[in-house]
Amino acid sequence: MVEPTANSANPFARHFNPALWADQSRKIIPMMRAYGGILPRDARAAASQTLGRLGTLEVRLAANAAEVRRAQKLRWRVFYEEMRAIADGPSRLARRDIDAFDAICDHLVVIDHAVIEKPALGAPRPAIVGTYRLLRQEIADRNGGFYTASEFDISDLLARHRGKRFLELGRSCVLPPYRNKRTVELLWHGIWTYVLAHRIDVMFGCASLEGIEPKALSLELSFLHHHAKAPAEWAAGALPSRHVEMGRLSKDAIDMKKALHALPPLIKGYLRLGAYVGDGAVVDRQFNTTDVLIVLPVSAISPRYIGHFGATAERHAA
């Protein structure tokens, strides 16, 4: 066998770099899987299991690639059409919110069996009206880490609690007619069932305030900084290159009632459960948001809420 040389007439052989090729493959393959909605292997067996029901609504994991694509389509409708996020090439082409993490996450979906969609191709199906993306630590560790690490330095947080099981929550969205207590409660019931099934110790992720002008969000950011900041045990901060100061107002200058009213329902829900907020915010110009880090140890969840859903998630069990 003749090895290619620097003077080879084959331009591909002359410029081929195996290490660079392998690195690009590691990026391209997950994106191709995410584009197709392909489920991770260890998610497929449990995907069709119902995690809870409330009236005509059901919560479970996406059962197949088509349902993942429908969850991505729902995210497109909320993030890009409603909230005016800026789409990259693959998302714009597919008119779905897609990133490489979709290929390794479980996708929690809320389905309304009373609303039947009739696609141009395929059989009629009940509508997907809400979704959440879930990434367990053991899967993240095998696939390059968590999405949150692109905005917040969570390395020390994970190291301090080595041995605990972390679950990243993200890409939460619900269609406007379903933004009510019933749908949110069912989503949280699904997450709680998932947490129990996988023996999760800590939930965390990015939560968003709408807008990219921190000055306009001074009240909300200052409230979170002064009243929900994580203790040292659970502390983590924004990456230095992206860090936005949160304590923009003094504690005495905060109108508590006004601040609580201004906070997004998702963040207020996290706080009611017992969540902490990291140090520093991050402006996400693609999604037109300012993000904060949420850290929710299961041990910190109020017993009142555990009692509400049931210690074994029996409240809305199918």
Side-chain angles (χ1 to χ4, degrees):
M1 178 177 176
V2 178
E3 296 290 340
T5 67
N7 295 321
S8 169
N10 184 336
F12 177 80
R14 188 164 60 248
H15 297 290
F16 177 66
N17 182 326
L20 180 60
W21 183 262
D23 181 62
Q24 290 301 313
S25 296
R26 283 192 290 270
K27 297 175 182 177
I28 293 171
I29 291 172
M31 195 63 193
M32 291 177 65
R33 287 173 57 85
Y35 195 86
I38 298 172
L39 287 164
R41 185 177 293 105
D42 51 3
R44 295 172 194 167
S48 61
Q49 177 184 351
T50 295
L51 301 180
R53 287 184 181 272
L54 187 56
T56 64
L57 301 179
E58 175 192 8
V59 63
R60 60 171 169 77
L61 299 181
N64 50 46
E67 287 193 347
V68 173
R69 293 194 297 270
R70 291 171 63 200
Q72 293 170 334
K73 181 69 174 178
L74 171 62
R75 286 162 25 192
W76 172 274
R77 290 173 63 182
V78 173
F79 297 146
Y80 295 87
E81 294 182 353
E82 180 182 342
M83 298 177 63
R84 305 299 181 188
I86 301 169
D88 58 16
S91 291
R92 188 182 302 110
L93 180 65
R95 296 191 69 77
R96 290 184 275 125
D97 173 44
I98 304 167
D99 73 16
F101 286 90
D102 284 330
I104 61 172
C105 289
D106 284 330
H107 298 264
L108 195 71
V109 292
V110 174
I111 298 168
D112 188 350
H113 289 277
V115 178
I116 304 300
E117 298 175 342
K118 297 180 179 179
L121 297 174
R125 63 209 181 184
I128 291 178
V129 301
T131 186
Y132 236 116
R133 197 168 74 174
L134 313 176
L135 179 56
R136 303 195 307 276
Q137 185 173 6
E138 63 267 27
I139 296 176
D141 288 346
R142 296 197 300 267
N143 292 278
F146 289 109
Y147 172 88
T148 301
S150 65
E151 297 190 1
F152 296 91
D153 184 356
I154 57 174
S155 55
D156 286 347
L157 173 65
L158 298 175
R160 284 197 302 272
H161 298 281
R162 189 173 284 108
K164 292 188 182 299
R165 296 180 177 88
F166 281 73
L167 174 68
E168 183 182 63
L169 308 178
R171 287 303 206 268
S172 167
C173 64
V174 176
L175 288 179
Y178 295 87
R179 290 173 192 166
N180 52 48
K181 182 180 178 182
R182 283 166 55 87
T183 310
V184 172
E185 181 170 300
L186 195 58
L187 270 172
W188 270 105
H189 187 274
I191 292 171
W192 181 237
T193 306
Y194 188 97
V195 163
L196 294 177
H198 293 284
R199 295 178 294 163
I200 299 299
D201 299 301
V202 187
M203 292 174 273
F204 75 103
C206 302
S208 300
L209 299 160
E210 191 169 351
I212 57 174
E213 295 297 336
K215 184 177 179 180
L217 298 168
S218 293
L219 178 62
E220 298 96 309
L221 293 174
S222 299
F223 172 84
L224 295 172
H225 175 79
H226 291 297
H227 294 281
K229 188 173 180 180
E233 181 185 7
W234 298 106
L239 293 171
S241 62
R242 306 192 68 179
H243 187 280
V244 171
E245 178 60 39
M246 293 178 65
R248 311 177 78 82
L249 303 175
S250 69
K251 190 173 183 178
D252 293 339
I254 296 171
D255 182 327
M256 296 286 288
K257 185 176 181 179
K258 188 176 179 181
L260 284 168
H261 180 74
L263 285 175
L266 181 63
I267 293 180
K268 284 191 283 192
Y270 284 134
L271 297 182
R272 283 194 292 268
L273 286 168
Y276 306 119
V277 175
D279 178 39
V282 170
V283 171
D284 186 341
R285 297 188 180 279
Q286 179 187 358
F287 282 90
N288 191 37
T289 60
T290 299
D291 298 342
V292 297
L293 175 65
I294 297 292
V295 181
L296 177 56
V298 171
S299 61
I301 296 177
S302 167
R304 169 185 164 204
Y305 287 100
I306 292 178
H308 179 71
F309 289 117
T312 58
E314 69 272 12
R315 179 175 174 83
H316 299 305

